Amino acid sequence: AEDNASKGKLRLAVEEYRAALAMDPNHSAYNVNLHLGLCKLLVKLGRANDAVASCSEVLEIDDNIVEALVQRGEAKLLLEDWEGAVGDIKSAAEKSPQDMSIREALMRAENSLKLSKRKDWYKILGVAKTAPVLEIKKAYKKLALQWHPDKNTENRAEAEAKFQEIAAAYEILGDDEKRARYDSGEDVEGNGMSSGGGFNPFGGGGFHGGQQFTFHFEGGGFPGGGF
């Protein structure tokens, strides 16, 4: 198994590790190394659920094996179990505080957790991450018209919130610089009311009874005159 793993024959090595484990399932002192070797291969192959199971077998035998915690954390990242990944890799970092590679893995896991909690502006506008700017503008215009509060008098509060969210999404994705920063994982405010160059689709004070808001989508210059 180790020889085939070193030659890049990962799938064959997985089967051989499993065959070795089947020879004496109760030999914990030796099987802990087999489970760990299997776990590492499964992470490389992207077989995350199997990897988590193998790493857990290692930790049931000896919960102080740092590499098993790191590998299980990596497997959980593949499963998008961000909090679980941070928990495992943080435990590994606490057991081996001088290991820079573990600290780097922890930073990566924590960043993934942070990114998972931010709004997906692409999803809000219903466009792919590779969408060109013209498609983003078109999606924004369509949704803004659809959710304009004056057209949703029976569910005005919901429409106001949705309308503002759509505007915030366009504020980021409609700006090349902000979009690039967002795509790279940076924090980019998109509340549509920033004190700098952002815009507020409601004007200054939101929607108030009887006040009218009109779109001015001028030809060739979208968003043209704004709202």
Side-chain angles (χ1 to χ4, degrees):
E2 290 172 351
D3 183 49
N4 279 315
S6 68
K7 292 177 180 178
K9 300 178 180 179
L10 305 187
R11 289 177 176 79
L12 179 57
V14 165
E15 297 308 313
E16 290 172 337
Y17 269 117
R18 285 179 168 160
L21 284 163
M23 293 182 69
D24 191 352
N26 298 318
H27 198 315
S28 298
Y30 195 76
N31 287 351
V32 67
N33 298 306
L34 296 177
H35 281 301
L36 182 58
L38 179 58
C39 169
K40 291 161 67 176
L41 286 180
L42 291 169
V43 170
K44 288 181 180 179
L45 287 167
R47 293 165 59 177
N49 285 310
D50 291 340
V52 168
S54 291
C55 292
S56 296
E57 291 282 359
V58 176
L59 295 166
E60 284 182 15
I61 297 171
D62 186 349
D63 61 4
N64 287 312
I65 297 181
V66 171
E67 192 170 6
L69 283 167
V70 174
Q71 291 297 318
R72 190 169 71 177
E74 295 288 356
K76 288 179 178 179
L77 284 175
L78 294 175
L79 292 171
E80 299 186 358
D81 176 8
W82 314 120
E83 292 183 356
V86 169
D88 278 346
I89 301 175
K90 187 174 183 179
S91 294
E94 290 171 351
K95 294 177 184 294
S96 185
Q98 304 304 318
D99 192 321
M100 291 301 298
S101 64
I102 296 177
R103 292 176 62 183
E104 290 173 2
L106 178 58
M107 289 176 63
R108 180 159 43 84
E110 288 177 336
N111 188 54
S112 295
L113 174 60
K114 181 179 179 181
L115 292 179
S116 74
K117 293 181 177 181
R118 70 177 184 171
K119 287 190 176 182
D120 186 338
W121 301 118
Y122 290 102
K123 185 176 181 180
I124 289 167
L125 291 185
V127 296
K129 292 184 178 180
T130 56
V133 66
L134 288 177
E135 184 179 339
I136 289 171
K137 288 180 178 180
K138 183 178 179 180
Y140 165 60
K141 177 179 178 179
K142 179 181 178 181
L143 289 170
L145 286 168
Q146 176 186 342
W147 286 98
H148 192 288
D150 287 347
K151 291 187 176 183
N152 294 271
T153 56
E154 294 184 359
N155 59 331
R156 195 175 186 86
E158 178 189 0
E160 287 181 10
K162 189 73 175 177
F163 187 64
Q164 187 174 17
E165 187 176 55
I166 292 163
Y170 181 71
E171 182 182 359
I172 290 175
L173 301 185
D175 181 291
D176 289 340
E177 182 182 351
K178 288 183 180 180
R179 183 181 182 183
R181 288 169 54 203
Y182 172 75
D183 288 344
S184 69
E186 288 187 40
D187 285 330
V188 183
E189 289 298 324
N191 58 16
M193 299 182 182
S194 56
S195 59
F199 64 96
N200 178 359
F202 304 144
F207 289 92
H208 299 287
Q211 188 173 355
Q212 297 297 313
F213 295 84
T214 305
F215 286 97
H216 298 287
F217 295 115
E218 298 176 355
F222 181 85
F227 301 93

